[in-house]
Amino acid sequence: MSGGSVRTSYGWETTYRTASLTFDKTFGHGATLTVRRSNEAEAIYGLGSREASASVAKNWVGSFTLDFIHSSEVNSVGGSAFWKWVLGKVTDGGTTPKTHTFAYNDDKTLTSITLNAGLDQPTTDYDWNLLGAVVSTCEISFKVNEPVKVKIEGLYADETLDNTLVTQVNPATTDVPYEYAEATVTFSSALTRCEEFILTINNNAEMIYGLGDRRATKAVGKNVVCTFRFTITYEAST
């Protein structure tokens, strides 16, 4: 299966677990998506036999891993717009250039999207909508001789499948990937000879379930934990 047969895009949700009406954004260049589904199945055992007599499906759990190249464009379909998804909200200002300030929501609510994944085939097409998709962790890596990379681990509440593909969304021509040579690390002053810097933002996302539905009805963020690590070249002083 060639990469050209697969597409992904997303749209903001106004109501959690309700599909977005517009899929007008993508994750920029080099995006890959891995989706996992689990029924949390449990085998039931009883006295008199070592073999299970039945099985039961518990909470339905959807999760995903998304990798892509961090790029510059905020106003178009790709680029840096994903930061609103990670942190919660964005405030725009200015004219030329425009400014964008990303910050956490004031409450525990996580910003959710409907994440679309489409498979374009010669006969039957397949189009999945992952509903209520939220960011659990986001890792940004700056490494020498590499573009700036983003890895997002997330959860989603439900999904739908049909055979009608949404319009393909491609990165804009102005959506320029960031590269390591543009990055600096500063601790009161610039940190020289830094070979890599990796920032991880953990929203500690948790899916909320209730009686009568195996799918999550809400996603909340618990304590935010931000960590980083870096590697520098040691130089002996003389």
Side-chain angles (χ1 to χ4, degrees):
M1 185 183 301
S2 64
S5 300
V6 181
R7 59 184 67 177
T8 184
S9 59
Y10 70 95
W12 307 113
E13 292 183 349
T14 55
T15 302
Y16 186 73
R17 215 179 85 169
T18 299
S20 172
L21 299 178
T22 304
F23 296 93
D24 59 350
K25 289 181 170 55
T26 187
F27 296 100
H29 303 278
T32 63
L33 174 65
T34 302
V35 179
R36 297 171 294 274
R37 307 164 178 92
S38 173
N39 282 313
E40 298 286 293
E42 180 179 334
I44 306 299
Y45 294 85
L47 296 175
S49 176
R50 296 176 57 232
E51 299 177 348
S53 58
S55 62
V56 61
K58 299 186 292 185
N59 289 345
W60 188 91
V61 180
S63 61
F64 60 88
T65 301
L66 183 65
D67 294 274
F68 57 95
I69 305 301
H70 198 330
S71 48
S72 59
E73 194 64 55
V74 172
N75 298 314
S76 73
V77 298
S80 302
F82 76 94
W83 278 111
K84 176 184 174 182
W85 186 32
V86 175
L87 297 180
K89 61 184 179 181
V90 58
T91 302
D92 299 327
T95 53
T96 306
K98 292 196 69 173
T99 61
H100 310 277
T101 302
F102 299 93
Y104 282 105
N105 287 329
D106 296 328
D107 55 19
K108 298 181 181 65
T109 303
L110 297 175
T111 296
S112 65
I113 66 170
T114 300
L115 179 56
N116 177 267
L119 178 58
D120 188 355
Q121 298 193 119
T123 53
T124 303
D125 298 328
Y126 294 94
D127 192 75
W128 290 268
N129 283 333
L130 311 186
L131 307 176
V134 297
V135 175
S136 183
T137 62
C138 176
E139 180 183 278
I140 315 293
S141 63
F142 307 81
K143 296 184 180 181
V144 169
N145 207 32
E146 291 185 4
V148 179
K149 297 179 179 179
V150 180
K151 176 186 287 291
I152 290 177
E153 300 283 353
L155 302 170
Y156 68 99
D158 202 355
E159 66 181 83
T160 61
L161 171 64
D162 59 49
N163 303 116
T164 303
L165 295 173
V166 301
T167 302
Q168 184 167 353
V169 181
N170 295 313
T173 55
T174 54
D175 200 3
V176 180
Y178 287 128
E179 55 180 301
Y180 75 96
E182 300 173 291
T184 58
V185 179
T186 302
F187 292 98
S188 71
S189 61
L191 186 63
T192 59
R193 300 180 302 280
C194 184
E195 297 179 355
E196 68 172 4
F197 185 93
I198 300 173
L199 170 67
T200 302
I201 300 171
N202 189 344
N203 281 322
N204 278 301
E206 181 176 329
M207 307 302 272
I208 305 301
Y209 296 83
L211 295 176
D213 195 343
R214 293 180 56 229
R215 268 69 172 175
T217 58
K218 190 177 180 62
V220 297
K222 298 186 289 185
N223 290 344
V224 175
V225 180
C226 298
T227 60
F228 64 87
R229 66 183 189 273
F230 61 89
T231 302
I232 63 173
T233 301
Y234 178 77
E235 182 176 340
S237 59
T238 58

